Amino acid sequence: MGYILTILVLGVAVALYFSWRRRAELLGEECRRAREALESAQKQHYREISRIEAEQQALFNSMSEGVLILDQAGRVQLVNRALLEFFGLKVDVRGQTIMEAFRLQELAEVARRLPQERIVQGVELQLPGVNGGWLQFNAAAMLDREGTQRGSILVFHDLTRLRQLENTRQEFVANVSHELRTPLSLIKGFVETLLDGAKDDPELAGRFLRTIEKHTDRLTYLIEDLLTISRLESGQIVMNLHEVELRKETGRVIEDLQARAAGKNARLQNEVPGELTARADTDRLQQVLFNLIENAIKYGRTEGTVVVGGKRNEAGKVELWVQDNGPGIPADAKERVFERFYRVDRARSRETGGTGLGLSIVKHIVQAHGGEVWVKSELGQGATFYFTLPES
Protein backbone atom coordinates (compact mmCIF):
# COMPACT_ATOMS: atom_id res chain seq x y z
CA MET A 1 0.00 0.00 0.00
CA GLY A 2 2.81 2.33 0.86
CA TYR A 3 4.45 1.49 -2.44
CA ILE A 4 1.30 2.39 -4.38
CA LEU A 5 0.93 5.65 -2.49
CA THR A 6 4.50 6.57 -3.32
CA ILE A 7 3.89 5.87 -6.98
CA LEU A 8 0.74 8.02 -6.91
CA VAL A 9 2.56 10.91 -5.26
CA LEU A 10 5.39 10.65 -7.76
CA GLY A 11 2.84 10.60 -10.59
CA VAL A 12 1.11 13.70 -9.30
CA ALA A 13 4.48 15.44 -8.90
CA VAL A 14 5.54 14.55 -12.43
CA ALA A 15 2.19 15.74 -13.79
CA LEU A 16 2.52 19.00 -11.89
CA TYR A 17 6.12 19.40 -13.12
CA PHE A 18 5.16 18.96 -16.74
CA SER A 19 2.14 21.25 -16.27
CA TRP A 20 4.30 23.96 -14.72
CA ARG A 21 6.92 23.47 -17.38
CA ARG A 22 4.30 23.86 -20.11
CA ARG A 23 2.98 26.98 -18.45
CA ALA A 24 6.54 28.35 -18.19
CA GLU A 25 7.09 27.62 -21.90
CA LEU A 26 3.83 29.34 -22.79
CA LEU A 27 4.71 32.28 -20.58
CA GLY A 28 8.19 32.44 -22.15
CA GLU A 29 6.63 32.33 -25.62
CA GLU A 30 4.26 35.12 -24.67
CA CYS A 31 7.17 37.15 -23.29
CA ARG A 32 9.18 36.53 -26.47
CA ARG A 33 6.25 37.59 -28.63
CA ALA A 34 5.69 40.66 -26.48
CA ARG A 35 9.38 41.51 -26.71
CA GLU A 36 9.37 41.06 -30.51
CA ALA A 37 6.21 43.17 -30.78
CA LEU A 38 7.84 45.87 -28.66
CA GLU A 39 11.03 45.80 -30.74
CA SER A 40 8.96 45.92 -33.93
CA ALA A 41 6.98 48.86 -32.59
CA GLN A 42 10.21 50.62 -31.61
CA LYS A 43 11.69 50.03 -35.04
CA GLN A 44 8.51 51.26 -36.67
CA HIS A 45 8.61 54.30 -34.39
CA TYR A 46 12.24 55.00 -35.28
CA ARG A 47 11.46 54.54 -38.98
CA GLU A 48 8.56 56.97 -38.66
CA ILE A 49 10.76 59.49 -36.87
CA SER A 50 13.47 59.08 -39.54
CA ARG A 51 10.88 59.51 -42.30
CA ILE A 52 9.50 62.66 -40.69
CA GLU A 53 13.01 64.04 -40.17
CA ALA A 54 13.95 63.23 -43.79
CA GLU A 55 10.79 64.91 -45.08
CA GLN A 56 11.45 67.89 -42.83
CA GLN A 57 15.07 68.13 -44.02
CA ALA A 58 13.99 67.79 -47.66
CA LEU A 59 11.42 70.54 -47.15
CA PHE A 60 13.99 72.84 -45.56
CA ASN A 61 16.58 72.01 -48.24
CA SER A 62 14.13 72.95 -50.98
CA MET A 63 13.89 76.48 -49.59
CA SER A 64 15.95 79.28 -51.08
CA GLU A 65 16.05 80.90 -47.63
CA GLY A 66 18.53 79.70 -45.06
CA VAL A 67 17.00 78.05 -41.97
CA LEU A 68 18.72 77.61 -38.60
CA ILE A 69 16.98 75.89 -35.64
CA LEU A 70 18.45 76.00 -32.15
CA ASP A 71 17.45 73.81 -29.21
CA GLN A 72 16.59 75.03 -25.73
CA ALA A 73 20.30 75.18 -24.80
CA GLY A 74 21.08 77.36 -27.82
CA ARG A 75 22.86 74.62 -29.78
CA VAL A 76 22.36 73.99 -33.47
CA GLN A 77 19.66 71.41 -34.04
CA LEU A 78 19.06 71.81 -37.78
CA VAL A 79 20.51 73.74 -40.73
CA ASN A 80 19.36 73.53 -44.33
CA ARG A 81 21.43 73.44 -47.50
CA ALA A 82 20.89 77.11 -48.35
CA LEU A 83 22.30 78.21 -45.00
CA LEU A 84 25.37 76.01 -45.44
CA GLU A 85 25.94 77.62 -48.85
CA PHE A 86 25.45 81.15 -47.49
CA PHE A 87 28.15 80.64 -44.88
CA GLY A 88 30.35 78.30 -46.91
CA LEU A 89 30.15 75.56 -44.26
CA LYS A 90 31.54 72.14 -45.20
CA VAL A 91 31.15 70.30 -41.88
CA ASP A 92 28.23 69.17 -39.71
CA VAL A 93 27.61 71.90 -37.13
CA ARG A 94 24.74 70.23 -35.30
CA GLY A 95 25.28 70.22 -31.54
CA GLN A 96 27.54 73.28 -31.66
CA THR A 97 26.79 76.72 -30.26
CA ILE A 98 26.29 79.65 -32.67
CA MET A 99 29.76 81.01 -31.88
CA GLU A 100 31.34 77.59 -32.45
CA ALA A 101 29.48 77.05 -35.73
CA PHE A 102 29.45 80.53 -37.29
CA ARG A 103 31.89 82.66 -35.23
CA LEU A 104 29.68 85.73 -35.67
CA GLN A 105 28.92 87.85 -32.64
CA GLU A 106 25.85 89.38 -34.33
CA LEU A 107 24.12 85.99 -34.50
CA ALA A 108 24.97 85.13 -30.91
CA GLU A 109 23.65 88.51 -29.76
CA VAL A 110 20.29 87.97 -31.49
CA ALA A 111 19.97 84.50 -29.97
CA ARG A 112 20.70 86.01 -26.56
CA ARG A 113 17.90 88.59 -27.00
CA LEU A 114 15.22 86.08 -28.01
CA PRO A 115 14.15 84.88 -24.51
CA GLN A 116 13.12 88.44 -23.65
CA GLU A 117 12.03 89.84 -27.05
CA ARG A 118 10.57 86.62 -28.55
CA ILE A 119 10.86 88.05 -32.11
CA VAL A 120 13.75 89.92 -33.77
CA GLN A 121 13.23 91.11 -37.35
CA GLY A 122 15.15 92.74 -40.19
CA VAL A 123 18.71 92.21 -38.96
CA GLU A 124 21.28 92.71 -41.74
CA LEU A 125 24.56 90.88 -41.68
CA GLN A 126 27.63 91.17 -43.92
CA LEU A 127 29.46 87.89 -44.33
CA PRO A 128 33.21 87.91 -43.69
CA GLY A 129 35.68 87.62 -46.56
CA VAL A 130 36.82 89.63 -49.54
CA ASN A 131 33.65 88.90 -51.52
CA GLY A 132 31.39 88.76 -48.48
CA GLY A 133 27.72 88.89 -49.31
CA TRP A 134 24.82 90.38 -47.39
CA LEU A 135 22.11 88.52 -45.50
CA GLN A 136 18.97 89.69 -43.75
CA PHE A 137 17.46 87.43 -41.10
CA ASN A 138 14.46 87.20 -38.79
CA ALA A 139 14.49 85.22 -35.55
CA ALA A 140 11.70 83.89 -33.33
CA ALA A 141 11.51 81.92 -30.10
CA MET A 142 9.67 78.58 -30.31
CA LEU A 143 7.32 78.26 -27.32
CA ASP A 144 5.34 75.36 -25.87
CA ARG A 145 1.73 75.60 -24.63
CA GLU A 146 2.87 76.96 -21.29
CA GLY A 147 4.86 79.72 -22.98
CA THR A 148 8.23 78.21 -22.13
CA GLN A 149 10.90 78.63 -24.82
CA ARG A 150 11.87 75.26 -26.29
CA GLY A 151 14.18 76.56 -28.99
CA SER A 152 14.66 79.23 -31.66
CA ILE A 153 14.31 79.50 -35.41
CA LEU A 154 16.24 81.93 -37.64
CA VAL A 155 15.40 82.47 -41.32
CA PHE A 156 17.98 84.10 -43.60
CA HIS A 157 17.38 85.92 -46.91
CA ASP A 158 20.21 86.59 -49.38
CA LEU A 159 20.51 90.33 -50.06
CA THR A 160 23.76 90.09 -52.02
CA ARG A 161 22.18 90.45 -55.45
CA LEU A 162 19.99 93.31 -54.25
CA ARG A 163 22.99 95.13 -52.79
CA GLN A 164 24.95 94.56 -56.02
CA LEU A 165 22.09 96.01 -58.06
CA GLU A 166 21.86 98.98 -55.72
CA ASN A 167 25.60 99.59 -56.01
CA THR A 168 25.37 99.23 -59.78
CA ARG A 169 22.53 101.74 -59.89
CA GLN A 170 24.43 104.23 -57.75
CA GLU A 171 27.57 103.78 -59.84
CA PHE A 172 25.55 104.16 -63.03
CA VAL A 173 23.89 107.38 -61.82
CA ALA A 174 27.28 108.75 -60.75
CA ASN A 175 28.86 107.87 -64.11
CA VAL A 176 26.00 109.34 -66.14
CA SER A 177 26.06 112.49 -64.02
CA HIS A 178 29.80 112.84 -64.56
CA GLU A 179 29.58 112.17 -68.29
CA LEU A 180 26.80 114.76 -68.67
CA ARG A 181 28.40 117.33 -66.39
CA THR A 182 31.70 117.57 -68.28
CA PRO A 183 30.36 118.55 -71.74
CA LEU A 184 27.57 120.67 -70.22
CA SER A 185 30.11 122.62 -68.17
CA LEU A 186 32.22 123.23 -71.26
CA ILE A 187 29.21 124.28 -73.33
CA LYS A 188 28.03 126.62 -70.58
CA GLY A 189 31.51 128.15 -70.26
CA PHE A 190 31.82 128.84 -73.97
CA VAL A 191 28.30 130.26 -74.17
CA GLU A 192 29.04 132.64 -71.28
CA THR A 193 32.27 133.69 -72.98
CA LEU A 194 30.39 134.38 -76.21
CA LEU A 195 27.79 136.42 -74.35
CA ASP A 196 30.53 138.40 -72.63
CA GLY A 197 31.78 139.69 -75.98
CA ALA A 198 33.56 136.89 -77.78
CA LYS A 199 30.67 136.76 -80.25
CA ASP A 200 31.95 140.04 -81.72
CA ASP A 201 35.19 138.34 -82.81
CA PRO A 202 34.18 136.18 -85.83
CA GLU A 203 37.24 133.94 -85.68
CA LEU A 204 36.99 133.35 -81.93
CA ALA A 205 33.21 132.93 -82.08
CA GLY A 206 33.57 130.34 -84.85
CA ARG A 207 36.11 128.35 -82.83
CA PHE A 208 33.91 128.45 -79.75
CA LEU A 209 30.83 127.39 -81.70
CA ARG A 210 32.68 124.46 -83.24
CA THR A 211 33.73 123.35 -79.75
CA ILE A 212 30.13 123.70 -78.56
CA GLU A 213 28.98 121.62 -81.52
CA LYS A 214 31.56 118.93 -80.71
CA HIS A 215 30.39 118.58 -77.12
CA THR A 216 26.73 118.73 -78.16
CA ASP A 217 27.41 115.80 -80.48
CA ARG A 218 29.08 113.98 -77.61
CA LEU A 219 25.95 114.46 -75.48
CA THR A 220 23.80 113.21 -78.35
CA TYR A 221 25.93 110.07 -78.77
CA LEU A 222 25.84 109.45 -75.02
CA ILE A 223 22.05 109.71 -74.85
CA GLU A 224 21.61 107.52 -77.92
CA ASP A 225 23.91 104.87 -76.43
CA LEU A 226 22.09 105.00 -73.10
CA LEU A 227 18.76 104.52 -74.84
CA THR A 228 20.16 101.63 -76.87
CA ILE A 229 21.43 99.83 -73.75
CA SER A 230 18.14 100.47 -71.97
CA ARG A 231 16.15 98.96 -74.84
CA LEU A 232 18.51 95.97 -75.09
CA GLU A 233 18.38 95.23 -71.36
CA SER A 234 14.60 95.57 -71.19
CA GLY A 235 14.08 93.37 -74.25
CA GLN A 236 12.36 96.14 -76.20
CA ILE A 237 14.60 95.53 -79.20
CA VAL A 238 13.45 92.46 -81.10
CA MET A 239 16.13 90.75 -83.17
CA ASN A 240 15.16 90.22 -86.80
CA LEU A 241 17.20 87.06 -87.33
CA HIS A 242 17.92 85.74 -90.79
CA GLU A 243 20.84 84.40 -92.82
CA VAL A 244 23.56 87.03 -93.22
CA GLU A 245 26.59 86.98 -95.53
CA LEU A 246 29.27 88.07 -93.10
CA ARG A 247 31.96 89.16 -95.56
CA LYS A 248 29.50 91.42 -97.37
CA GLU A 249 28.27 93.08 -94.14
CA THR A 250 31.84 93.50 -92.91
CA GLY A 251 32.73 95.17 -96.20
CA ARG A 252 29.90 97.68 -95.81
CA VAL A 253 31.05 98.67 -92.32
CA ILE A 254 34.66 98.98 -93.46
CA GLU A 255 33.57 101.22 -96.32
CA ASP A 256 31.72 103.49 -93.88
CA LEU A 257 34.85 103.78 -91.72
CA GLN A 258 37.42 104.30 -94.46
CA ALA A 259 37.46 108.07 -93.94
CA ARG A 260 38.22 107.68 -90.23
CA ALA A 261 40.91 105.12 -90.98
CA ALA A 262 42.46 107.48 -93.53
CA GLY A 263 42.74 110.12 -90.79
CA LYS A 264 45.24 107.84 -89.02
CA ASN A 265 46.67 106.27 -92.19
CA ALA A 266 45.33 102.92 -90.96
CA ARG A 267 44.59 99.96 -93.24
CA LEU A 268 41.34 98.01 -92.85
CA GLN A 269 41.48 94.38 -94.02
CA ASN A 270 38.44 92.19 -94.57
CA GLU A 271 39.57 88.57 -94.16
CA VAL A 272 36.15 87.07 -93.46
CA PRO A 273 35.65 84.01 -95.72
CA GLY A 274 33.16 84.64 -98.53
CA GLU A 275 31.14 81.51 -97.77
CA LEU A 276 30.73 82.24 -94.06
CA THR A 277 27.15 83.00 -93.00
CA ALA A 278 25.36 83.35 -89.68
CA ARG A 279 21.86 83.83 -88.33
CA ALA A 280 21.78 87.43 -87.16
CA ASP A 281 20.03 90.78 -87.21
CA THR A 282 21.78 92.75 -89.98
CA ASP A 283 21.43 96.20 -88.40
CA ARG A 284 22.61 95.03 -84.97
CA LEU A 285 25.48 93.03 -86.46
CA GLN A 286 26.62 96.15 -88.31
CA GLN A 287 26.47 98.06 -85.03
CA VAL A 288 28.71 95.46 -83.34
CA LEU A 289 31.22 95.52 -86.19
CA PHE A 290 31.11 99.32 -86.40
CA ASN A 291 31.85 99.73 -82.67
CA LEU A 292 34.68 97.19 -82.67
CA ILE A 293 36.35 98.44 -85.87
CA GLU A 294 35.93 102.09 -84.83
CA ASN A 295 37.58 101.32 -81.48
CA ALA A 296 40.41 99.53 -83.26
CA ILE A 297 40.99 102.64 -85.39
CA LYS A 298 40.73 105.03 -82.43
CA TYR A 299 43.04 103.18 -80.08
CA GLY A 300 45.27 101.47 -82.63
CA ARG A 301 48.59 102.83 -83.82
CA THR A 302 48.93 105.50 -86.47
CA GLU A 303 49.60 103.77 -89.81
CA GLY A 304 48.44 100.57 -88.13
CA THR A 305 46.36 97.68 -89.46
CA VAL A 306 42.90 96.51 -88.44
CA VAL A 307 41.98 92.98 -89.50
CA VAL A 308 38.47 91.49 -89.42
CA GLY A 309 38.38 87.71 -89.67
CA GLY A 310 36.00 84.84 -89.11
CA LYS A 311 35.56 81.07 -89.04
CA ARG A 312 33.22 78.33 -87.94
CA ASN A 313 34.55 77.06 -84.61
CA GLU A 314 34.57 73.56 -83.11
CA ALA A 315 31.37 74.24 -81.15
CA GLY A 316 29.49 74.76 -84.43
CA LYS A 317 29.12 78.53 -83.97
CA VAL A 318 30.37 81.31 -86.17
CA GLU A 319 33.30 83.18 -84.63
CA LEU A 320 34.31 86.66 -85.76
CA TRP A 321 37.16 88.83 -84.54
CA VAL A 322 38.57 92.34 -84.93
CA GLN A 323 42.31 92.65 -84.44
CA ASP A 324 44.46 95.76 -84.11
CA ASN A 325 48.16 96.35 -83.50
CA GLY A 326 47.70 99.05 -80.90
CA PRO A 327 49.19 99.33 -77.40
CA GLY A 328 47.09 96.48 -76.00
CA ILE A 329 44.99 96.19 -72.85
CA PRO A 330 46.35 95.56 -69.32
CA ALA A 331 45.49 92.15 -67.85
CA ASP A 332 43.44 93.65 -65.02
CA ALA A 333 41.29 95.60 -67.49
CA LYS A 334 40.38 92.77 -69.87
CA GLU A 335 37.51 91.53 -67.70
CA ARG A 336 36.11 95.03 -67.26
CA VAL A 337 36.25 96.56 -70.73
CA PHE A 338 32.66 95.45 -71.43
CA GLU A 339 31.31 97.28 -68.37
CA ARG A 340 29.34 100.47 -68.86
CA PHE A 341 31.52 103.60 -68.75
CA TYR A 342 34.71 101.62 -68.11
CA ARG A 343 37.70 103.08 -69.91
CA VAL A 344 41.25 101.76 -69.97
CA ASP A 345 42.55 105.30 -70.64
CA ARG A 346 39.88 107.80 -69.60
CA ALA A 347 41.65 110.91 -70.87
CA ARG A 348 42.37 109.44 -74.29
CA SER A 349 38.86 108.03 -74.61
CA ARG A 350 37.29 111.45 -74.04
CA GLU A 351 39.70 113.06 -76.49
CA THR A 352 38.53 110.63 -79.19
CA GLY A 353 34.86 111.28 -78.38
CA GLY A 354 34.04 107.94 -76.77
CA THR A 355 31.01 107.56 -74.50
CA GLY A 356 32.33 104.51 -72.64
CA LEU A 357 29.27 102.51 -73.71
CA GLY A 358 30.31 101.06 -77.07
CA LEU A 359 31.66 97.73 -75.81
CA SER A 360 28.77 97.34 -73.39
CA ILE A 361 26.40 97.69 -76.35
CA VAL A 362 28.46 95.10 -78.23
CA LYS A 363 28.14 92.66 -75.33
CA HIS A 364 24.37 93.11 -75.03
CA ILE A 365 23.77 92.69 -78.78
CA VAL A 366 25.93 89.56 -78.99
CA GLN A 367 24.22 88.04 -75.93
CA ALA A 368 20.82 88.84 -77.45
CA HIS A 369 21.93 86.63 -80.37
CA GLY A 370 22.85 83.84 -77.96
CA GLY A 371 26.56 84.43 -78.45
CA GLU A 372 29.59 85.32 -76.34
CA VAL A 373 32.14 88.13 -76.50
CA TRP A 374 35.67 88.27 -75.10
CA VAL A 375 39.05 89.91 -75.68
CA LYS A 376 42.63 88.67 -75.88
CA SER A 377 45.46 91.13 -75.51
CA GLU A 378 49.02 91.65 -74.34
CA LEU A 379 50.56 95.03 -73.65
CA GLY A 380 52.41 96.26 -76.71
CA GLN A 381 50.94 93.48 -78.88
CA GLY A 382 47.54 94.93 -79.75
CA ALA A 383 44.12 93.52 -78.91
CA THR A 384 41.72 91.09 -80.55
CA PHE A 385 38.00 91.20 -79.78
CA TYR A 386 36.06 87.99 -80.48
CA PHE A 387 32.35 87.27 -80.61
CA THR A 388 30.19 84.36 -81.68
CA LEU A 389 26.90 84.10 -83.56
CA PRO A 390 24.60 81.14 -84.24
CA GLU A 391 25.19 79.44 -87.58
CA SER A 392 22.56 79.87 -90.26
Side-chain angles (χ1 to χ4, degrees):
M1 187 67 179
Y3 176 74
I4 295 173
L5 183 61
T6 300
I7 292 176
L8 288 173
V9 170
L10 287 174
V12 170
V14 169
L16 288 173
Y17 168 77
F18 281 107
S19 175
W20 290 337
R21 182 176 178 181
R22 177 59 181 164
R23 288 181 182 180
E25 289 177 351
L26 291 174
L27 183 59
E29 181 68 18
E30 289 179 0
C31 289
R32 184 183 63 78
R33 290 176 181 175
R35 186 170 57 252
E36 289 178 352
L38 179 61
E39 290 175 354
S40 176
Q42 287 177 334
K43 290 179 181 179
Q44 180 64 27
H45 180 64
Y46 292 146
R47 282 196 297 268
E48 186 67 17
I49 291 176
S50 298
R51 183 186 66 79
I52 292 173
E53 288 179 347
E55 290 178 353
Q56 184 184 59
Q57 189 69 51
L59 175 63
F60 284 139
N61 285 338
S62 68
M63 297 172 62
S64 59
E65 296 83 3
V67 177
L68 170 63
I69 296 179
L70 306 176
D71 62 17
Q72 192 173 9
R75 295 186 175 274
V76 177
Q77 186 176 13
L78 181 144
V79 293
N80 70 342
R81 185 180 295 117
L83 189 71
L84 295 175
E85 293 174 354
F86 288 164
F87 288 92
L89 298 176
K90 306 295 183 184
V91 297
D92 188 356
V93 296
R94 286 176 296 181
Q96 298 181 10
T97 65
I98 282 186
M99 286 301 296
E100 290 172 342
F102 302 98
R103 302 186 183 279
L104 290 172
Q105 186 61 43
E106 296 93 327
L107 284 178
E109 176 63 21
V110 169
R112 187 189 64 78
R113 290 162 50 191
L114 279 177
Q116 291 76 35
E117 301 182 26
R118 301 303 193 193
I119 296 177
V120 178
Q121 294 182 321
V123 182
E124 292 193 2
L125 174 69
Q126 185 172 20
L127 298 175
V130 178
N131 299 318
W134 283 87
L135 299 176
Q136 182 187 71
F137 67 95
N138 303 318
M142 295 188 296
L143 310 176
D144 60 17
R145 292 181 179 178
E146 288 72 33
T148 304
Q149 182 175 349
R150 296 302 181 186
S152 309
I153 182 168
L154 292 82
V155 180
F156 297 76
H157 306 271
D158 190 359
L159 294 184
T160 304
R161 179 60 177 163
L162 190 61
R163 284 298 183 98
Q164 289 174 343
L165 290 173
E166 179 64 19
N167 291 337
T168 300
R169 185 191 66 80
Q170 292 176 352
E171 184 180 349
F172 177 74
V173 171
N175 282 327
V176 170
S177 300
H178 179 75
E179 295 297 330
L180 291 173
R181 186 187 305 115
T182 302
L184 285 173
S185 297
L186 290 169
I187 291 170
K188 186 174 185 296
F190 282 115
V191 169
E192 289 175 348
T193 304
L194 287 169
L195 292 174
D196 287 342
K199 66 180 182 300
D200 299 326
D201 183 338
E203 182 179 349
L204 191 61
R207 182 157 59 87
F208 283 4
L209 288 172
R210 284 191 293 273
T211 303
I212 290 173
E213 181 185 31
K214 172 186 172 183
H215 288 289
T216 302
D217 289 342
R218 180 180 165 190
L219 283 174
T220 302
Y221 299 147
L222 175 62
I223 292 170
E224 287 177 351
D225 284 352
L226 285 171
L227 290 173
T228 298
I229 286 182
S230 176
R231 288 196 295 267
L232 284 167
E233 289 182 339
S234 64
Q236 294 179 13
I237 295 179
V238 179
M239 296 294 163
N240 181 23
L241 302 178
H242 58 276
E243 185 176 6
V244 177
E245 297 179 20
L246 298 174
R247 181 177 178 83
K248 181 187 295 185
E249 297 306 324
T250 302
R252 289 174 178 168
V253 175
I254 286 178
E255 185 178 349
D256 291 340
L257 289 168
Q258 283 293 355
R260 298 192 189 189
K264 293 189 67 173
N265 293 323
R267 291 185 298 120
L268 305 181
Q269 296 180 201
N270 185 357
E271 296 184 1
V272 178
E275 72 280 1
L276 193 63
T277 61
R279 185 171 174 78
D281 182 307
T282 302
D283 293 337
R284 297 303 167 188
L285 173 60
Q286 288 184 357
Q287 191 171 7
V288 168
L289 290 169
F290 189 95
N291 285 358
L292 292 177
I293 298 172
E294 184 184 39
N295 277 357
I297 296 170
K298 282 182 186 178
Y299 306 115
R301 302 185 190 280
T302 301
E303 298 183 350
T305 302
V306 177
V307 179
V308 185
K311 67 175 183 180
R312 197 175 304 278
N313 64 22
E314 296 177 355
K317 290 197 170 186
V318 174
E319 185 176 302
L320 295 174
W321 61 85
V322 177
Q323 181 181 40
D324 65 56
N325 56 357
I329 300 172
D332 60 344
K334 286 191 287 188
E335 294 299 321
R336 300 195 61 194
V337 291
F338 297 100
E339 295 177 10
R340 290 177 294 192
F341 297 112
Y342 183 80
R343 294 181 173 93
V344 176
D345 185 340
R346 288 185 174 273
R348 188 180 178 193
S349 179
R350 289 196 178 94
E351 287 174 4
T352 56
T355 65
L357 296 170
L359 290 178
S360 182
I361 291 173
V362 167
K363 181 187 75 172
H364 281 86
I365 292 175
V366 171
Q367 290 178 343
H369 281 81
E372 298 176 284
V373 61
W374 68 97
V375 60
K376 292 182 180 179
S377 178
E378 293 183 13
L379 284 177
Q381 302 297 318
T384 306
F385 284 84
Y386 297 84
F387 66 95
T388 58
L389 296 170
E391 59 182 347
S392 58

